[in-house]
Amino acid sequence: MSIGTLLAYTLVSACVLILRYEENDVVGASVQDEVELSSRLFACIRRNAEPTLFSSRLVKLAVGCASLCTIWLGLVEIFLVDYIANCRWWALLILLLPVVLLVACALVIWSQPQNAVQLPFRVPFVPFLPLLSIVLNIYLMLKLSKSTWVRFAVWMVIGFAIYGGYGIWHSTGNSVSDGDDDDDDDEEIGEDGCVAKKPEDNDSTSEHSMLLPTRS
């Protein structure tokens, strides 16, 4: 299995977690965000509450922390496998720390309220199944050879260079945003707060009036 496929699976699993715990309306923070942080980390008694800006950000932070712990765990298993096999206490401690942090991140994510929007398909056993997918995919990526990572890095640099040098400036999204800016320049906000079109230049209107015939 290629590194691109594993990376895509990892990103999809992370997006499933983030979107499942995303708040319905991201405009403004909820009043509940004023509660102390210690009382919000493990809000298991409020499983039916609606997700807030605070809870969605907390889930994103926990997903990132879980990914870093998985990388830590994989590197320990790769480079310290001999010391772990010999039951060296410091190696076992280094191996145990990311496991404990990973379980803590899973509990923090699980304790947050989920989005209640009904979809045709919803991934079951959230957050544990997506987290397991992230752990396995990152572990498999770390087991790939160095030459695979080198080729991946080279192609990523080439891709970002093409996108940054050409794609981003010739994309349809960029042209649409430029058109919106031009429309905004043609509008002005009045004293009553209403948006109105700017009047045309007086010189052009005066020239047009000079061409009109006059009645004697």
Side-chain angles (χ1 to χ4, degrees), residues 17 37 47 51 62 86 93 114 126 140 142 168 193 209 216:
L17 284 174
L37 176 63
R47 293 289 295 172
N86 294 329
L93 180 61
Q114 296 187 13
V126 174
L140 291 176
L142 292 175
I168 193 173
S209 61
S216 58

mmCIF file with all atom_site columns, all heavy atoms in Angstrom, residues 17 37 47 51 62 86 93 114 126 140 142 168 193 209 216:
data_model
loop_
_atom_site.group_PDB
_atom_site.id
_atom_site.type_symbol
_atom_site.label_atom_id
_atom_site.label_alt_id
_atom_site.label_comp_id
_atom_site.label_asym_id
_atom_site.label_entity_id
_atom_site.label_seq_id
_atom_site.pdbx_PDB_ins_code
_atom_site.Cartn_x
_atom_site.Cartn_y
_atom_site.Cartn_z
_atom_site.occupancy
_atom_site.B_iso_or_equiv
_atom_site.pdbx_formal_charge
_atom_site.auth_seq_id
_atom_site.auth_comp_id
_atom_site.auth_asym_id
_atom_site.auth_atom_id
_atom_site.pdbx_PDB_model_num
ATOM 1   N N   . LEU A 1 17  ? -13.699 12.716 12.604  1.00 0.00 ? 17  LEU A N   1
ATOM 2   C CA  . LEU A 1 17  ? -13.744 13.121 14.012  1.00 0.00 ? 17  LEU A CA  1
ATOM 3   C C   . LEU A 1 17  ? -14.069 14.601 14.159  1.00 0.00 ? 17  LEU A C   1
ATOM 4   O O   . LEU A 1 17  ? -14.912 14.991 14.980  1.00 0.00 ? 17  LEU A O   1
ATOM 5   C CB  . LEU A 1 17  ? -12.403 12.822 14.674  1.00 0.00 ? 17  LEU A CB  1
ATOM 6   C CG  . LEU A 1 17  ? -12.107 11.363 15.021  1.00 0.00 ? 17  LEU A CG  1
ATOM 7   C CD1 . LEU A 1 17  ? -10.688 11.223 15.529  1.00 0.00 ? 17  LEU A CD1 1
ATOM 8   C CD2 . LEU A 1 17  ? -13.100 10.844 16.045  1.00 0.00 ? 17  LEU A CD2 1
ATOM 9   N N   . LEU A 1 37  ? -12.326 25.557 32.480  1.00 0.00 ? 37  LEU A N   1
ATOM 10  C CA  . LEU A 1 37  ? -11.788 24.517 31.611  1.00 0.00 ? 37  LEU A CA  1
ATOM 11  C C   . LEU A 1 37  ? -11.827 23.157 32.285  1.00 0.00 ? 37  LEU A C   1
ATOM 12  O O   . LEU A 1 37  ? -12.114 22.144 31.650  1.00 0.00 ? 37  LEU A O   1
ATOM 13  C CB  . LEU A 1 37  ? -10.356 24.874 31.219  1.00 0.00 ? 37  LEU A CB  1
ATOM 14  C CG  . LEU A 1 37  ? -9.578  23.856 30.383  1.00 0.00 ? 37  LEU A CG  1
ATOM 15  C CD1 . LEU A 1 37  ? -10.264 23.674 29.036  1.00 0.00 ? 37  LEU A CD1 1
ATOM 16  C CD2 . LEU A 1 37  ? -8.148  24.302 30.197  1.00 0.00 ? 37  LEU A CD2 1
ATOM 17  N N   . ARG A 1 47  ? -23.949 14.428 27.712  1.00 0.00 ? 47  ARG A N   1
ATOM 18  C CA  . ARG A 1 47  ? -23.734 13.822 26.407  1.00 0.00 ? 47  ARG A CA  1
ATOM 19  C C   . ARG A 1 47  ? -24.749 14.299 25.380  1.00 0.00 ? 47  ARG A C   1
ATOM 20  O O   . ARG A 1 47  ? -24.504 14.235 24.183  1.00 0.00 ? 47  ARG A O   1
ATOM 21  C CB  . ARG A 1 47  ? -23.819 12.300 26.518  1.00 0.00 ? 47  ARG A CB  1
ATOM 22  C CG  . ARG A 1 47  ? -22.701 11.688 27.314  1.00 0.00 ? 47  ARG A CG  1
ATOM 23  C CD  . ARG A 1 47  ? -21.405 11.758 26.557  1.00 0.00 ? 47  ARG A CD  1
ATOM 24  N NE  . ARG A 1 47  ? -21.442 10.965 25.350  1.00 0.00 ? 47  ARG A NE  1
ATOM 25  C CZ  . ARG A 1 47  ? -20.510 10.957 24.428  1.00 0.00 ? 47  ARG A CZ  1
ATOM 26  N NH1 . ARG A 1 47  ? -19.457 11.743 24.550  1.00 0.00 ? 47  ARG A NH1 1
ATOM 27  N NH2 . ARG A 1 47  ? -20.601 10.193 23.362  1.00 0.00 ? 47  ARG A NH2 1
ATOM 28  N N   . PRO A 1 51  ? -22.877 20.701 20.533  1.00 0.00 ? 51  PRO A N   1
ATOM 29  C CA  . PRO A 1 51  ? -21.467 21.105 20.474  1.00 0.00 ? 51  PRO A CA  1
ATOM 30  C C   . PRO A 1 51  ? -21.323 22.610 20.387  1.00 0.00 ? 51  PRO A C   1
ATOM 31  O O   . PRO A 1 51  ? -22.137 23.296 19.772  1.00 0.00 ? 51  PRO A O   1
ATOM 32  C CB  . PRO A 1 51  ? -20.956 20.402 19.207  1.00 0.00 ? 51  PRO A CB  1
ATOM 33  C CG  . PRO A 1 51  ? -22.176 20.148 18.383  1.00 0.00 ? 51  PRO A CG  1
ATOM 34  C CD  . PRO A 1 51  ? -23.290 19.924 19.347  1.00 0.00 ? 51  PRO A CD  1
ATOM 35  N N   . ALA A 1 62  ? -7.347  17.632 20.546  1.00 0.00 ? 62  ALA A N   1
ATOM 36  C CA  . ALA A 1 62  ? -7.160  16.250 20.969  1.00 0.00 ? 62  ALA A CA  1
ATOM 37  C C   . ALA A 1 62  ? -6.790  15.349 19.788  1.00 0.00 ? 62  ALA A C   1
ATOM 38  O O   . ALA A 1 62  ? -5.973  14.430 19.929  1.00 0.00 ? 62  ALA A O   1
ATOM 39  C CB  . ALA A 1 62  ? -8.425  15.735 21.648  1.00 0.00 ? 62  ALA A CB  1
ATOM 40  N N   . ASN A 1 86  ? 14.264  -6.342 25.987  1.00 0.00 ? 86  ASN A N   1
ATOM 41  C CA  . ASN A 1 86  ? 15.076  -6.647 27.157  1.00 0.00 ? 86  ASN A CA  1
ATOM 42  C C   . ASN A 1 86  ? 14.500  -6.076 28.445  1.00 0.00 ? 86  ASN A C   1
ATOM 43  O O   . ASN A 1 86  ? 15.161  -6.155 29.494  1.00 0.00 ? 86  ASN A O   1
ATOM 44  C CB  . ASN A 1 86  ? 16.497  -6.106 26.958  1.00 0.00 ? 86  ASN A CB  1
ATOM 45  C CG  . ASN A 1 86  ? 17.231  -6.813 25.831  1.00 0.00 ? 86  ASN A CG  1
ATOM 46  O OD1 . ASN A 1 86  ? 16.996  -7.992 25.568  1.00 0.00 ? 86  ASN A OD1 1
ATOM 47  N ND2 . ASN A 1 86  ? 18.108  -6.079 25.143  1.00 0.00 ? 86  ASN A ND2 1
ATOM 48  N N   . LEU A 1 93  ? 8.979   2.934  29.925  1.00 0.00 ? 93  LEU A N   1
ATOM 49  C CA  . LEU A 1 93  ? 8.351   4.196  30.312  1.00 0.00 ? 93  LEU A CA  1
ATOM 50  C C   . LEU A 1 93  ? 8.095   5.078  29.098  1.00 0.00 ? 93  LEU A C   1
ATOM 51  O O   . LEU A 1 93  ? 7.019   5.681  28.962  1.00 0.00 ? 93  LEU A O   1
ATOM 52  C CB  . LEU A 1 93  ? 9.249   4.927  31.318  1.00 0.00 ? 93  LEU A CB  1
ATOM 53  C CG  . LEU A 1 93  ? 8.733   6.272  31.830  1.00 0.00 ? 93  LEU A CG  1
ATOM 54  C CD1 . LEU A 1 93  ? 7.410   6.086  32.561  1.00 0.00 ? 93  LEU A CD1 1
ATOM 55  C CD2 . LEU A 1 93  ? 9.763   6.928  32.740  1.00 0.00 ? 93  LEU A CD2 1
ATOM 56  N N   . GLN A 1 114 ? -21.752 15.448 20.437  1.00 0.00 ? 114 GLN A N   1
ATOM 57  C CA  . GLN A 1 114 ? -21.641 15.258 19.002  1.00 0.00 ? 114 GLN A CA  1
ATOM 58  C C   . GLN A 1 114 ? -22.692 16.071 18.258  1.00 0.00 ? 114 GLN A C   1
ATOM 59  O O   . GLN A 1 114 ? -23.717 16.456 18.818  1.00 0.00 ? 114 GLN A O   1
ATOM 60  C CB  . GLN A 1 114 ? -21.804 13.778 18.638  1.00 0.00 ? 114 GLN A CB  1
ATOM 61  C CG  . GLN A 1 114 ? -20.731 12.873 19.191  1.00 0.00 ? 114 GLN A CG  1
ATOM 62  C CD  . GLN A 1 114 ? -20.844 11.455 18.668  1.00 0.00 ? 114 GLN A CD  1
ATOM 63  O OE1 . GLN A 1 114 ? -21.570 11.185 17.702  1.00 0.00 ? 114 GLN A OE1 1
ATOM 64  N NE2 . GLN A 1 114 ? -20.126 10.531 19.296  1.00 0.00 ? 114 GLN A NE2 1
ATOM 65  N N   . VAL A 1 126 ? -17.749 6.117  16.881  1.00 0.00 ? 126 VAL A N   1
ATOM 66  C CA  . VAL A 1 126 ? -16.948 7.333  16.967  1.00 0.00 ? 126 VAL A CA  1
ATOM 67  C C   . VAL A 1 126 ? -16.806 7.695  18.439  1.00 0.00 ? 126 VAL A C   1
ATOM 68  O O   . VAL A 1 126 ? -17.787 7.659  19.188  1.00 0.00 ? 126 VAL A O   1
ATOM 69  C CB  . VAL A 1 126 ? -17.629 8.477  16.182  1.00 0.00 ? 126 VAL A CB  1
ATOM 70  C CG1 . VAL A 1 126 ? -16.890 9.797  16.385  1.00 0.00 ? 126 VAL A CG1 1
ATOM 71  C CG2 . VAL A 1 126 ? -17.700 8.122  14.702  1.00 0.00 ? 126 VAL A CG2 1
ATOM 72  N N   . LEU A 1 140 ? 1.703   2.210  9.870   1.00 0.00 ? 140 LEU A N   1
ATOM 73  C CA  . LEU A 1 140 ? 2.110   1.609  8.602   1.00 0.00 ? 140 LEU A CA  1
ATOM 74  C C   . LEU A 1 140 ? 2.977   2.560  7.781   1.00 0.00 ? 140 LEU A C   1
ATOM 75  O O   . LEU A 1 140 ? 3.916   2.119  7.095   1.00 0.00 ? 140 LEU A O   1
ATOM 76  C CB  . LEU A 1 140 ? 0.872   1.191  7.799   1.00 0.00 ? 140 LEU A CB  1
ATOM 77  C CG  . LEU A 1 140 ? 0.065   0.014  8.361   1.00 0.00 ? 140 LEU A CG  1
ATOM 78  C CD1 . LEU A 1 140 ? -1.189  -0.223 7.523   1.00 0.00 ? 140 LEU A CD1 1
ATOM 79  C CD2 . LEU A 1 140 ? 0.913   -1.254 8.415   1.00 0.00 ? 140 LEU A CD2 1
ATOM 80  N N   . LEU A 1 142 ? 5.033   4.771  9.020   1.00 0.00 ? 142 LEU A N   1
ATOM 81  C CA  . LEU A 1 142 ? 6.352   4.798  9.643   1.00 0.00 ? 142 LEU A CA  1
ATOM 82  C C   . LEU A 1 142 ? 7.163   3.542  9.333   1.00 0.00 ? 142 LEU A C   1
ATOM 83  O O   . LEU A 1 142 ? 8.402   3.566  9.427   1.00 0.00 ? 142 LEU A O   1
ATOM 84  C CB  . LEU A 1 142 ? 6.209   4.962  11.160  1.00 0.00 ? 142 LEU A CB  1
ATOM 85  C CG  . LEU A 1 142 ? 5.662   6.314  11.639  1.00 0.00 ? 142 LEU A CG  1
ATOM 86  C CD1 . LEU A 1 142 ? 5.464   6.298  13.145  1.00 0.00 ? 142 LEU A CD1 1
ATOM 87  C CD2 . LEU A 1 142 ? 6.582   7.451  11.234  1.00 0.00 ? 142 LEU A CD2 1
ATOM 88  N N   . ILE A 1 168 ? -2.594  28.464 -7.933  1.00 0.00 ? 168 ILE A N   1
ATOM 89  C CA  . ILE A 1 168 ? -3.358  29.347 -7.057  1.00 0.00 ? 168 ILE A CA  1
ATOM 90  C C   . ILE A 1 168 ? -3.726  30.664 -7.730  1.00 0.00 ? 168 ILE A C   1
ATOM 91  O O   . ILE A 1 168 ? -4.732  31.289 -7.399  1.00 0.00 ? 168 ILE A O   1
ATOM 92  C CB  . ILE A 1 168 ? -2.554  29.604 -5.761  1.00 0.00 ? 168 ILE A CB  1
ATOM 93  C CG1 . ILE A 1 168 ? -3.436  30.256 -4.687  1.00 0.00 ? 168 ILE A CG1 1
ATOM 94  C CG2 . ILE A 1 168 ? -1.347  30.482 -6.045  1.00 0.00 ? 168 ILE A CG2 1
ATOM 95  C CD1 . ILE A 1 168 ? -2.759  30.382 -3.354  1.00 0.00 ? 168 ILE A CD1 1
ATOM 96  N N   . GLY A 1 193 ? -27.208 52.579 6.657   1.00 0.00 ? 193 GLY A N   1
ATOM 97  C CA  . GLY A 1 193 ? -26.707 51.217 6.657   1.00 0.00 ? 193 GLY A CA  1
ATOM 98  C C   . GLY A 1 193 ? -27.062 50.425 5.429   1.00 0.00 ? 193 GLY A C   1
ATOM 99  O O   . GLY A 1 193 ? -26.666 49.270 5.318   1.00 0.00 ? 193 GLY A O   1
ATOM 100 N N   . SER A 1 209 ? -25.254 64.299 -21.776 1.00 0.00 ? 209 SER A N   1
ATOM 101 C CA  . SER A 1 209 ? -26.310 65.305 -21.872 1.00 0.00 ? 209 SER A CA  1
ATOM 102 C C   . SER A 1 209 ? -26.038 66.301 -22.995 1.00 0.00 ? 209 SER A C   1
ATOM 103 O O   . SER A 1 209 ? -26.963 66.849 -23.587 1.00 0.00 ? 209 SER A O   1
ATOM 104 C CB  . SER A 1 209 ? -26.454 66.029 -20.537 1.00 0.00 ? 209 SER A CB  1
ATOM 105 O OG  . SER A 1 209 ? -25.237 66.685 -20.213 1.00 0.00 ? 209 SER A OG  1
ATOM 106 N N   . SER A 1 216 ? -36.372 74.084 -28.722 1.00 0.00 ? 216 SER A N   1
ATOM 107 C CA  . SER A 1 216 ? -36.430 75.536 -28.589 1.00 0.00 ? 216 SER A CA  1
ATOM 108 C C   . SER A 1 216 ? -37.834 76.000 -28.283 1.00 0.00 ? 216 SER A C   1
ATOM 109 O O   . SER A 1 216 ? -38.794 75.304 -28.634 1.00 0.00 ? 216 SER A O   1
ATOM 110 C CB  . SER A 1 216 ? -35.938 76.188 -29.891 1.00 0.00 ? 216 SER A CB  1
ATOM 111 O OG  . SER A 1 216 ? -36.720 75.761 -30.983 1.00 0.00 ? 216 SER A OG  1
#
